[in-house]
Structures are given as C-alpha cells and as structure tokens.
Amino acid sequence: MLFALVFVLLLPLVVLPVALFLKNLKEFSPATSDPARIREAEREAISVCIPARNEERSIANSLESILQSTHPTYEVLVLDDHSEDRTREIVESYSKQSERVRLVTSNPLPPGWNGKQHACWQLAQQAKHPTLLFLDADVRLAPDALTRCIAEQQLRGAPLISGFPLQETGTLAEKTLIPMMHYVLLCYLPLDRMRSTTKPEFAAGCGQLFVAQREPYFTCGGHQAIQQSRHDGIQLPRAFRRHGFRTDLFDGTDIARCRMYETTLQVMRGLLKNATEGIANPKLIVPFTILLVGGNLLPIGLLVSARYGKSSIFVLVLLGALVLMTWIPRVLAAIRFRQSIGGALLHPIAIAIFISLQWIALIQRQLGAQVTWRGRI
C-alpha cells in the first residue's frame, strides 16, 4: 500500500517533465533558413554588440567568425570593459583591418551597475542599425548567422528573441552540468504558453545571444532596466515583458557555438553566479527541489530500496521503467543539441550537484556573500 502511494506521487514528477520536454522539443526550432525569409532579412541592417572584459583568449575567434558573415549590411562594436589583458590591442588590430569593426572604450562602472549590463547599454547607444545583436565574446557565428537571426525575429514577430548556441564542453563537469540549461528550460517551461502571453514569469533566454529591435529595446529601458542583474538571460526578457512586448526563443545550435567555461571551478562559479536570479530564490527553490529531486533521484532511491528489500519482479520492473524515463530528456537533448552522451548518462549526478549549488547560492546570498566574476562582485 505504501509503495502504491509513493509510486502515484512520483509518477507525475517523472512523466510530466518528460512529456513537456517532448512537446517543447518540436517547438524549439532552429533559426529559419526559408529562402523567401532569408531574402527579406538580407535587407535589414544589424549591429553586433560585444561586451568584452579580459577576453584575449576568445575575442579574435569571435571576430574572425563574424567577419566571414554573408550578411550585406552589418557593423561590429566591441566594448573594452577595462580589460587587464590584450583584449583592447586585439580588437584595435581588427578595427584597422576592417571598417566594420569598431572599438568602444567603456566609461567607468557606475555604482550599482553590473559590468556586462553597463557594457551592453553603452554599446546599444553607440549602435546605428535598427536590429541589435548582443553577443558574448566567446561565441562564434556561422557565415549565415546574422541573416538567419533577423529572419527568425521577423518570423516570430517578437521584439526580443534569444538563441541557444551549441555548447562546447571539454571537462567532465562541463559535459555533465552545462546541458542542464536545456534540461530545465525544456522540461519546465511550456513554450506555447510563453508565446501566448507577455507575463514576466514566463521570461527565458540565453545571455550569450540576444536579438533586439532598437525601438522596443529603448522603450523598455534595455540593459539599463536590469543594471544590477548578473543574469540577463532571464532579466532582459522580463524587462521587455513588463512593457507588454513578446519575447521568444530558438535553437541556435547550427548557427552559433560557445564554450562558456574551461575548468570545473569555472563551471561551479558560473552556476553559482547566476543561480539567485533563477531557481535559487525563496519562492522557487523548494518547488524546484521537489520537482528535480522527486522526478529524478527519488525513483532511483526507491528502486535500490525495493531491490534490496526483495520486492516482487513486478515492482522492480515498474520502478525500473520509471528510472529509465528520467534519462529520456538528457539522452534526446544530447542527440539534438550535440551534447555529450557520457554527460547524459551522469544525469542523476548532474541533478544532485545542480540543486546543491542552488541551495549554496541561496545561503550565500542570505549571508551577504557574492561570487566574484572577472574580478568584480
């Protein structure tokens, strides 16, 4: 009787996220390559805005990829945010080689501002084209990426859209934890509901790649409206939605690629840095702990307990099926988004580490401690 009750309680925690993932996977479409839309998009000019602080290892590759773009009219603005390495020197060399590239020197960081948001706000004010592409300095684009981003925005009719690049991974920590961004997004955010409303609670995005229309961007305050935020992936769409603008998402796997972190420590600090503006807040952390632990770890614990408790074959088969179901999103995501299969097999470990980091981030915030990033709080 107890087993039946526990099984009934766990079943929706496992089945509903898998069902939503399968539904969302169909709607999380790649940037359009429809020829008619591409021709229309080619008539639109775009400003690529790149905030750069201590990016000497990645900025050259990013600029090289953008300068191979097939889009007719674009400019590239790179803001040197008081870098302490060769970032400025590298960008200057590219600006001398191509008139498309322009180096922007940052003003001093005002009190209360996050560095990236301040950099993006300055870039938007310097940009001259009606479409703004905010791009992290470690993202490399395919030659047709600019055109397809514009076409995707025109197709969706949203003033702000966000693409999720291919996430390149090297270390085991990256392979295990970085794919959690797709897992949480597609298992717990109904994309059809997101598209049918402008409510801020349905806001989502990837801070690595945002495409914004200039007028709505300034109407809602753009990055100035989220000046204290460290997580523009969520907060910038919320700023648009608070002003009644729609936002949307698309799969950017085949037009952009990025390696966010290179060490286990960077992965952990990166997840901690963004956590408190996502799941690690008092309103969400308990529900998400129940959803993630109950839908992924408890079935495994129950299966182990049943196995050593000498339960019937029927019980073991039921629990085994439930456990196998928890892997479906990670395995399918690994195939669709070119992620590590090995990392997908470590999904329960990823869940345990991910939810632990959320609690650590919340406790740190309550104690007044903050994770430093690129030498800043």
Side-chain angles (χ1 to χ4, degrees), residues 197-208:
T197 180
T198 58
K199 291 182 178 180
E201 54 264 35
F202 288 92
C206 176
Q208 297 167 347

Side-chain angles (χ1 to χ4, degrees), residues 11 56 96 107 111 131-132 139 144-145 156 161 163 173 178 213 241 293 305 329 348 353 371:
L11 189 62
E56 66 176 6
K96 293 174 182 177
N107 294 323
T131 300
L132 309 175
V139 177
D144 62 348
R156 298 191 179 276
I161 64 170
I178 297 302
Q213 285 299 304
R241 285 172 169 260
V293 173
S305 176
I353 295 174
V371 178

Side-chain angles (χ1 to χ4, degrees), residues 217-263:
Y217 173 86
F218 282 106
T219 297
C220 73
H223 288 86
Q224 185 182 46
I226 60 167
Q227 58 186 253
Q228 295 182 329
S229 173
R230 306 179 84 184
H231 196 351
D232 54 340
I234 292 178
Q235 297 301 333
L236 189 59
R238 281 183 184 168
F240 273 72
R241 285 172 169 260
R242 281 194 294 267
H243 282 75
F245 295 119
R246 293 178 57 249
T247 67
D248 211 333
L249 309 168
F250 68 94
D251 175 13
T253 299
D254 60 345
I255 65 167
R257 58 180 57 229
C258 173
R259 186 174 182 185
M260 278 195 293
Y261 312 117
E262 295 185 359
T263 67

Side-chain angles (χ1 to χ4, degrees), residues 96-367:
K96 293 174 182 177
Q97 297 172 32
S98 173
E99 62 182 11
R100 294 186 185 273
V101 179
R102 180 152 50 103
L103 174 66
V104 179
T105 300
S106 178
N107 294 323
L109 183 65
W113 276 79
N114 170 267
K116 181 181 179 182
Q117 316 316 337
H118 186 233
C120 289
W121 180 242
Q122 294 177 86
L123 285 164
Q125 292 173 311
Q126 293 277 342
K128 63 183 182 182
H129 295 315
T131 300
L132 309 175
L133 171 60
F134 295 100
L135 197 69
D136 278 3
D138 48 8
V139 177
R140 284 100 65 211
L141 297 180
D144 62 348
L146 298 184
T147 306
R148 289 176 66 186
C149 280
I150 295 171
E152 188 67 18
Q153 186 167 61
Q154 292 174 344
L155 172 65
R156 298 191 179 276
L160 180 74
I161 64 170
S162 178
F164 283 66
L166 167 66
Q167 302 299 316
E168 297 177 327
T169 55
T171 64
L172 185 60
E174 293 171 84
K175 296 177 188 295
T176 305
L177 291 170
I178 297 302
M180 284 297 295
M181 73 163 62
H182 286 97
Y183 178 83
V184 173
L185 174 75
L186 298 178
C187 283
Y188 299 102
L189 176 68
L191 295 186
D192 55 351
R193 179 67 175 140
M194 176 203 71
R195 288 170 179 150
S196 67
T197 180
T198 58
K199 291 182 178 180
E201 54 264 35
F202 288 92
C206 176
Q208 297 167 347
L209 194 161
F210 271 118
V211 186
Q213 285 299 304
R214 184 184 187 87
E215 287 190 16
Y217 173 86
F218 282 106
T219 297
C220 73
H223 288 86
Q224 185 182 46
I226 60 167
Q227 58 186 253
Q228 295 182 329
S229 173
R230 306 179 84 184
H231 196 351
D232 54 340
I234 292 178
Q235 297 301 333
L236 189 59
R238 281 183 184 168
F240 273 72
R241 285 172 169 260
R242 281 194 294 267
H243 282 75
F245 295 119
R246 293 178 57 249
T247 67
D248 211 333
L249 309 168
F250 68 94
D251 175 13
T253 299
D254 60 345
I255 65 167
R257 58 180 57 229
C258 173
R259 186 174 182 185
M260 278 195 293
Y261 312 117
E262 295 185 359
T263 67
T264 299
L265 180 60
Q266 286 180 357
V267 173
M268 300 300 181
R269 292 180 67 185
L271 291 174
L272 286 171
K273 171 178 66 77
N274 294 330
T276 54
E277 294 180 60
I279 293 172
N281 69 72
K283 292 182 179 180
L284 292 179
I285 194 162
V286 172
F288 262 97
T289 299
I290 294 171
L291 290 170
L292 292 172
V293 173
N296 293 276
L297 302 184
L298 286 185
I300 296 174
L302 198 59
L303 176 61
V304 172
S305 176
R307 170 66 180 84
Y308 286 98
K310 298 181 180 179
S311 297
S312 67
I313 293 297
F314 176 74
V315 169
L316 292 175
V317 169
L318 277 181
L319 289 174
L322 204 63
V323 168
L324 288 176
M325 195 176 297
T326 65
W327 262 280
I328 290 176
R330 278 296 299 264
V331 172
L332 291 181
I335 297 169
R336 165 76 177 269
F337 306 119
R338 307 177 207 170
Q339 298 168 354
S340 165
I341 292 293
L345 296 179
L346 296 175
H347 178 59
I349 296 174
I351 292 290
I353 295 174
F354 180 81
I355 203 65
S356 297
L357 289 173
Q358 307 307 302
W359 280 99
I360 291 170
L362 179 62
I363 292 169
Q364 285 182 332
R365 182 176 183 179
Q366 297 300 318
L367 295 175

